Amino acid sequence: MYKLEIFTDQMKYADSALIPDQTVELDFLTFEAFTVLSKPVNCKKGYFIHLTDGGALVCDGIVSDVQPATGTVTISVRPLQAVFDCEVYRSQITDVVSWIEQQITDQFIENQDDLQNRPVAIQKSVRAVYPIADTGTGDTINLLDVMTAALKAYGIVCLCWVDMETMMIAVEICQPSDEITLEADKANVLDKTVTLGDSYGAANKMVVRRKVTNQETGEISYSGQSFYYLHPDGTIDQNNTDRITPVFWKLKDLDDSDTWDQEALEAAVEELTPQQYDNEIILLYAAEDNLVYPATIPIGTKAKIYLEGNVYKSILTGRILKSGTIELTFGQVRSMLTKKLIMERRR
């Protein structure tokens, strides 16, 4: 039996219940909701849930929907990080960790509108600077989208959990450093599925034009253009040698500025950098597997997976808990159509 505990959006106790073991699906690329069936409880959209099994954490989440029925209620739950599924004003992201920390602080901890704040405590353990070149055009950007981009680009994870001692939503921005090795052909792997991405047709050249606007007349002209190329080792620069072919290109106009050369290079890197972990590898283990300990592997952990004579590099991005089993999902590819659509929206 699972213990379901429910808290308001200000982390005030609302209700609790014992419920049968159920499937819990946590995807940290799509942040889709899974459902929990319970007896009637005091629960509303935006409330937080804390789900445990004999004292061990199963998951924490935020309620996205509540559907009462006769004698039962179906609660839709998203991973707790979905509390940050909100719009913020777009700004340059020279260090994604500091940017995320500042946005959470501004929107949820120290907002001048007290009613907007949540009981959130944040810490970070990433020391290096990781830029993300945002090529969007709107005035706003989704905070959760940036968190997803940080996971995909750098393995940076925003861990979130309900801290039952402080009654706060704890957030840790970290970068799991350990790499695990998994042998998917061993008998302890109960089932496996491998889907590989196809990079053919991805851009490997970018042309950036320097856009100049006359402040008096509004007339637009172009003072030149720069070419950037992707090389087989993954580097991107203006060196027209040792390139990837056949050529597929992207075009972009960039407003003139004192830092135009740097901005143009950042835009090219953002567009041309090959997608890491271009796969979806799903491995099913017994929940009590004492070789892999699947419940203890942190999201964002990099992995070398040996399967049928091949070695795949990937990263843990999802987990499904079923009765007696845990399914680990590695990689950035999602084969299910609904998940594909969600990921496409988050690009």
Side-chain angles (χ1 to χ4, degrees):
M1 297 288 286
Y2 286 161
K3 182 179 181 180
L4 171 66
E5 296 174 272
I6 304 169
F7 303 90
T8 71
D9 62 357
Q10 295 297 325
M11 278 301 296
K12 302 298 183 184
Y13 175 79
D15 210 341
S16 63
L18 292 177
I19 63 174
D21 293 2
Q22 301 175 38
T23 298
V24 173
E25 181 172 356
L26 302 170
D27 192 322
F28 294 91
L29 293 185
T30 64
F31 295 96
E32 284 185 291
F34 63 92
T35 57
V36 172
L37 184 65
S38 171
K39 68 178 185 181
V41 287
N42 177 22
C43 187
K44 298 179 181 179
K45 291 183 181 180
Y47 278 18
F48 302 120
I49 70 138
H50 182 63
L51 198 62
T52 55
D53 182 7
L57 177 65
V58 175
C59 79
D60 292 318
I62 182 170
V63 176
S64 62
D65 196 19
V66 180
Q67 293 291 334
T70 303
T72 63
V73 62
T74 299
I75 305 170
S76 296
V77 182
R78 299 177 70 190
L80 191 54
Q81 286 84 345
V83 70
F84 303 121
D85 190 358
C86 65
E87 296 296 307
V88 299
Y89 283 115
R90 189 181 302 275
S91 59
Q92 188 176 11
I93 306 176
T94 56
D95 176 15
V96 69
V97 174
S98 296
W99 188 92
I100 290 173
E101 180 188 35
Q102 189 62 55
Q103 293 297 333
I104 292 176
T105 300
D106 291 347
Q107 306 303 327
F108 293 91
I109 301 176
E110 298 178 359
N111 197 277
Q112 63 181 3
D113 182 355
D114 289 339
L115 296 179
Q116 182 173 313
N117 290 321
R118 299 288 189 273
V120 174
I122 184 171
Q123 59 180 308
K124 63 178 181 179
S125 58
V126 181
R127 297 290 177 256
V129 173
Y130 293 100
I132 288 185
D134 174 32
T135 57
T137 57
D139 295 329
T140 64
I141 189 171
N142 188 285
L143 177 53
L144 193 60
D145 289 353
V146 178
M147 292 181 175
T148 303
L151 173 60
K152 293 167 68 174
Y154 303 116
I156 293 172
V157 186
C158 293
L159 298 178
C160 299
W161 67 94
V162 172
D163 190 327
M164 297 296 286
E165 293 185 5
T166 63
M167 297 307 292
M168 302 280 285
I169 301 300
V171 180
E172 181 183 4
I173 308 175
C174 60
Q175 188 179 39
S177 57
D178 293 337
E179 182 178 79
I180 61 172
T181 298
L182 300 175
E183 298 188 40
D185 292 321
K186 286 190 173 295
N188 66 317
V189 178
L190 307 179
D191 197 8
K192 57 204 170 195
T193 303
V194 178
T195 303
L196 301 180
D198 183 1
S199 61
Y200 182 86
N204 49 50
K205 171 185 175 181
M206 188 165 182
V207 183
V208 184
R209 291 196 304 182
R210 193 166 193 149
K211 181 180 175 182
V212 180
T213 303
N214 187 304
Q215 298 301 315
E216 295 182 357
T217 66
E219 182 180 354
I220 294 175
S221 61
Y222 300 93
S223 62
Q225 58 187 10
S226 294
F227 300 87
Y228 299 89
Y229 308 101
L230 173 64
H231 303 287
D233 65 357
T235 59
I236 297 162
D237 56 33
Q238 294 182 277
N239 186 11
N240 188 11
T241 60
D242 190 28
R243 294 169 50 194
I244 293 177
T245 59
V247 177
F248 295 95
W249 63 94
K250 287 282 189 178
L251 307 177
K252 182 177 179 62
D253 290 342
L254 193 62
D255 290 332
D256 187 25
S257 71
D258 294 336
T259 58
W260 190 90
D261 290 331
Q262 180 62 31
E263 292 175 11
L265 175 60
E266 289 178 356
V269 169
E270 173 76 8
E271 186 63 49
L272 302 183
T273 297
Q275 178 170 293
Q276 296 188 82
Y277 317 121
D278 192 19
N279 49 49
E280 180 186 49
I281 301 175
I282 301 174
L283 304 179
L284 182 66
Y285 293 94
E288 302 300 324
D289 187 294
N290 58 6
L291 292 177
V292 173
Y293 300 99
T296 65
I297 304 174
I299 294 297
T301 297
K302 297 178 179 62
K304 285 184 179 178
I305 301 172
Y306 289 81
L307 176 61
E308 298 177 351
N310 297 309
V311 181
Y312 302 100
K313 289 189 175 182
S314 200
I315 185 172
L316 183 63
T317 52
R319 192 188 334 260
I320 299 178
L321 292 80
K322 299 180 182 179
S323 179
T325 64
I326 294 179
E327 185 177 278
L328 301 180
T329 300
F330 296 86
Q332 296 190 24
V333 172
R334 292 295 185 264
S335 55
M336 289 181 58
L337 178 59
T338 54
K339 292 179 179 287
K340 284 182 178 179
L341 295 174
I342 292 173
M343 290 175 64
E344 183 65 28
R345 183 188 68 79
R346 293 200 177 281
R347 289 179 183 172

